[in-house]
Amino acid sequence: MAFQREGSIITWRPTDHITAWFSTRLGGTSLPPFDTMNLSFGVGDVSVSVKENRRRMLALMGRPLDDLVMPHQVHGGTVTWISAADRGRGRVPDVPPIPATDGFLTDAAEIVLGMGFADCVPIFLADVKGRFFGLLHAGWRGTAAKIQETAVQQLMQRGVLPEDIRVGLGPRIGPCCYEVDQPVYDRIRAVAGTAPLTPVDARHWRLDLHLANRLMLEAVGILPEHIDEAPYCTACHPELFFSYRRDHHVTGRMGGYICRT
Ligand SMILES: [Zn+2]
């Protein structure tokens, strides 16, 4: 099942029982430069606006804000198991988030997993039987830290076969707009080879984060036909997305969400 634009959001429905959705900047209440659907409390936006925006994003799938669980994202490789007892953590600033993690897995029907994005790859995971689901935040650091591999291994430890895992790679900064230097080249080449890295000149490369993650997922047993890629570059579409690089770091955050439906 491919990613689809549905009004102000982009959805991915890998099974009858699990739905993932990703915000655009449309449909929110925030003022410039966070216009309009900024979903982060940590970028300088007005808290009342962000809370209302988050409420709207959850309401799109008929869920209350209290179901949302969000982490403190640190561009690492840690994947954390989320249980029903975590419901609501990180939904607003005065309720602390799950500490220092960029990966969530759960089987809790009452939970909506959420994270913030503004160029990094949202990686949605679903088991075809509709029980387990997950969400990862993978920029070049998370990709190099093998967060996708760790998540798949943790699902396998819980009895999920790799051929039963569906993966959705959401909107991110594309190779068209993402130039990296030698240190990043070295780290990505070490885990994914040179295929995701296209030379620009002697010291710069264009990095395809979708391809890097696809290759690493296939290497741990995910079938190529079970990986869907959203055809959007965040930097190429200022009308649809915030982009940390394009907007010179002062910008909002999109939200990626996944839950049982
Ligand atoms: Zn682009």
Side-chain angles (χ1 to χ4, degrees), residues 176-177 233 236:
C176 40
C177 297
C233 166
C236 277

Side-chain angles (χ1 to χ4, degrees), residues 12 14-15 18 105 123-130 132-134 136 148-168 217 220-228:
W12 181 66
T15 78
I18 293 172
L105 294 173
I123 303 181
F124 301 101
L125 300 157
D127 96 89
V128 73
K129 298 193 171 73
F132 297 98
F133 55 98
L136 315 175
Q148 68 302 91
E149 186 180 307
T150 300
V152 170
Q153 286 168 347
Q154 288 191 14
L155 285 173
M156 289 167 66
Q157 285 163 8
R158 290 177 183 272
V160 183
L161 299 171
E163 57 265 37
D164 285 342
I165 300 173
R166 301 291 185 273
V167 183
L217 287 159
V220 289
I222 306 299
L223 298 177
E225 62 269 32
H226 290 170
I227 303 172
D228 297 317

Side-chain angles (χ1 to χ4, degrees), residues 20-257:
W21 65 110
F22 189 80
S23 66
T24 65
R25 64 192 299 167
L26 308 174
T29 62
S30 298
L31 301 173
F34 310 113
D35 50 315
T36 57
M37 186 55 89
N38 167 49
L39 291 153
S40 172
F41 288 101
V43 295
D45 194 1
V46 179
S47 290
V48 172
S49 303
V50 180
K51 186 176 179 184
E52 171 60 15
N53 290 347
R54 285 189 178 184
R55 189 196 67 76
R56 290 184 186 187
M57 285 305 298
L58 275 282
L60 284 170
M61 294 298 157
R63 303 291 285 258
L65 183 58
D66 287 349
D67 287 357
L68 179 63
V69 177
M70 293 191 71
H72 174 221
Q73 295 168 222
V74 292
H75 294 278
T78 301
V79 177
T80 302
W81 180 258
I82 301 299
S83 69
D86 295 312
R87 181 172 174 267
R89 292 181 66 183
R91 71 187 186 280
V92 288
D94 49 342
V95 183
I98 306 297
T101 190
D102 295 271
F104 277 167
L105 294 173
T106 191
D107 63 355
E110 50 273 82
I111 295 284
V112 176
L113 302 177
M115 291 186 189
F117 298 89
D119 285 340
C120 294
V121 187
I123 303 181
F124 301 101
L125 300 157
D127 96 89
V128 73
K129 298 193 171 73
R131 181 178 172 197
F132 297 98
F133 55 98
L135 174 59
L136 315 175
H137 164 249
W140 75 261
R141 288 184 183 83
T143 301
K146 302 185 180 181
I147 194 170
Q148 68 302 91
E149 186 180 307
T150 300
V152 170
Q153 286 168 347
Q154 288 191 14
L155 285 173
M156 289 167 66
Q157 285 163 8
R158 290 177 183 272
V160 183
L161 299 171
E163 57 265 37
D164 285 342
I165 300 173
R166 301 291 185 273
V167 183
L169 306 176
R172 84 309 178 206
I173 191 165
C176 40
C177 297
Y178 191 29
E179 197 170 295
V180 299
D181 57 10
Q182 185 83 47
V184 177
Y185 173 88
D186 290 343
R187 294 284 303 280
I188 294 295
R189 187 186 59 176
V191 294
T194 56
L197 295 150
T198 303
V200 176
D201 57 37
R203 296 180 180 182
H204 297 89
W205 294 263
R206 292 190 186 280
L207 171 55
D208 186 338
L209 282 173
H210 268 186
L211 181 57
N213 279 283
R214 167 182 282 281
L215 293 171
M216 295 174 74
L217 287 159
E218 291 176 7
V220 289
I222 306 299
L223 298 177
E225 62 269 32
H226 290 170
I227 303 172
D228 297 317
E229 298 181 38
Y232 294 101
C233 166
T234 48
C236 277
H237 294 282
E239 78 287 4
L240 283 180
F241 301 112
F242 304 113
S243 169
Y244 187 76
R245 278 211 166 193
R246 182 198 66 220
D247 300 336
H248 306 291
H249 306 183
V250 182
T251 193
R253 296 290 182 276
M254 280 81 73
Y257 307 92

